[in-house]
Amino acid sequence: MSAATEGFLAMLAAERGAAANTLAAYRRDLAQAEEAIGDLADAPRDAVASLAGEWASLAPASVARKASALRQFFGFAIDEGWRSDDPSGALPAPRTRRPLPKVLGHDQIAALFARAEEEARTNDPKAVRLLALIELLYGSGLRATELVALPVHAVPRDAPFLTVTGKGGATRLVPVGGRALEALSRWLALRPADPPSRFLFPSGKGQHFSRVRLFQLVKGLAGRAGLDPAAISPHVLRHAFATHLLEGGADLRVLQTMLGHADISTTQIYTHVDAARLVALVNSRHPLATRTTSD
């Protein structure tokens, strides 16, 4: 990669606190663009425009992501004095529709937890660990990356909250229910102390439990519970947390805080699943709801 793109990535890490996965995605997109048109700090506008052809076979969401990475780079390049022009206008701007989240029903959640609880009754450390993991995914709405990287000190001592570090290094307090606290207590009693680790869910060599392994375990549990593994993942359990809280009457702003969304528009995607409740709310709470047409 060119020195300019390396400098941009260094800025993302140092000034914006971009996560490792985010940096890896930016690095990949910028490297592929440079392979196609050369050093981005010097690439002429027509070369930038030619990327539309390079990306023709990609999904609109992928094109939008790559174009966003380049727009941010070009803005940085202008700020640094590497470019005097902004060729971002030559990039394609596909209209993308954000996919609606997969939604698990209450019966599916019940089946998943029934199986996890049954397996954990043996007090096998791996089964108790899995129960604690899914309790935190569904009970607190954590992202997979947030969950596997939780340090031991994040576990509440005298308050029912977890201290979670989310995207961009932002820290938030997440409530933990009684079931999750009980599962965590059981796991801490069985958690291996050797080798020492600062992580709540340790792996070998002082590292934390991997995100890939978490996905594998959740899908395996789904299969044993008689559910379709393809329909269930850690992220789907996070969606279920949000959806079911909204069904129960949770405030959207409160949910935004718990999920760690920077923009409430991201949280609003969950409102589609609760249309019936919203109609009932309007019919019961609107000032004109109690008036008849003859009034």
Side-chain angles (χ1 to χ4, degrees), residues 213-253:
R213 185 59 180 148
L214 175 62
F215 272 72
Q216 292 171 341
L217 290 179
V218 170
K219 289 182 177 294
L221 176 64
R224 297 194 299 276
L227 304 172
D228 179 9
I232 298 179
S233 70
H235 207 59
V236 170
L237 288 176
R238 174 174 158 89
H239 287 323
F241 161 83
T243 301
H244 295 166
L245 276 183
L246 276 178
E247 288 177 354
D251 180 83
L252 200 62
R253 285 288 184 186

Side-chain angles (χ1 to χ4, degrees), residues 103-241:
V103 179
L104 290 180
H106 293 273
D107 55 342
Q108 293 172 297
I109 289 291
L112 190 72
F113 276 86
R115 181 67 189 192
E117 289 162 358
E118 178 185 348
E119 294 178 359
R121 288 192 191 103
T122 63
N123 225 34
D124 174 72
K126 291 183 178 180
V128 174
R129 179 185 65 186
L130 180 55
L131 178 61
L133 287 165
I134 66 167
E135 283 284 1
L136 290 174
L137 286 169
Y138 177 67
S140 296
L142 300 187
R143 299 180 178 95
T145 49
E146 294 171 345
L147 176 56
V148 297
L150 277 176
V152 175
H153 66 71
V155 179
R157 294 182 179 273
D158 51 9
F161 293 96
L162 281 176
T163 302
V164 178
T165 301
K167 289 185 175 180
T171 300
R172 69 185 190 279
L173 289 178
V174 177
V176 182
R179 288 172 50 103
L181 284 174
E182 181 182 350
L184 277 174
S185 179
R186 290 180 62 187
W187 166 240
L188 286 172
L190 297 170
R191 177 179 171 273
D194 188 28
S197 175
R198 68 183 184 90
F199 296 108
L200 179 58
F201 300 104
S203 185
K205 299 180 181 179
Q207 299 300 309
H208 60 67
F209 198 67
S210 81
R211 182 173 176 272
V212 171
R213 185 59 180 148
L214 175 62
F215 272 72
Q216 292 171 341
L217 290 179
V218 170
K219 289 182 177 294
L221 176 64
R224 297 194 299 276
L227 304 172
D228 179 9
I232 298 179
S233 70
H235 207 59
V236 170
L237 288 176
R238 174 174 158 89
H239 287 323
F241 161 83

Side-chain angles (χ1 to χ4, degrees), residues 15 60 140 214 225 254-255 285:
E15 297 182 17
S140 296
L214 175 62
V254 172
L255 186 59
R285 301 294 179 86

Side-chain angles (χ1 to χ4, degrees), residues 253-266:
R253 285 288 184 186
V254 172
L255 186 59
Q256 176 191 2
T257 300
M258 288 192 287
L259 292 172
H261 289 159
D263 190 332
I264 198 169
S265 64
T266 307

